[in-house]
Amino acid sequence: MANTPNPQGPEGNYDPAGSTQMFRAFVDETPQGGSRQAPAPAGPRIGLIVGVVVAVLVVAAVAWLALK
């Protein structure tokens, strides 16, 4: 038989969710400075600007072709 590590701890209690619970507790902790920092204010989005420019160009092209 292969020498496999014992999944049970020194007490013999096996808790498969123990590490997950510890990780969630770590993630849920607040930083030492108090409350969490607020996200930075969102400026103009490049994708939105590019989308509006493309839409205007498409409408202008369709209008030019229709009037031609």
Side-chain angles (χ1 to χ4, degrees):
M1 186 191 274
N3 185 10
T4 58
N6 187 1
Q8 297 178 346
E11 297 85 26
N13 296 332
Y14 178 66
D15 183 13
S19 60
T20 304
Q21 290 171 351
M22 291 172 60
F23 176 74
R24 287 183 180 164
F26 170 76
V27 170
D28 290 339
E29 287 181 357
T30 57
Q32 292 289 344
S35 64
R36 297 181 185 199
Q37 294 179 351
R45 305 225 185 266
I46 299 298
L48 179 63
I49 294 171
V50 171
V52 168
V53 169
V54 169
V56 168
L57 290 176
V58 168
V59 169
V62 168
W64 180 72
L65 289 173
L67 296 176
K68 187 176 178 185

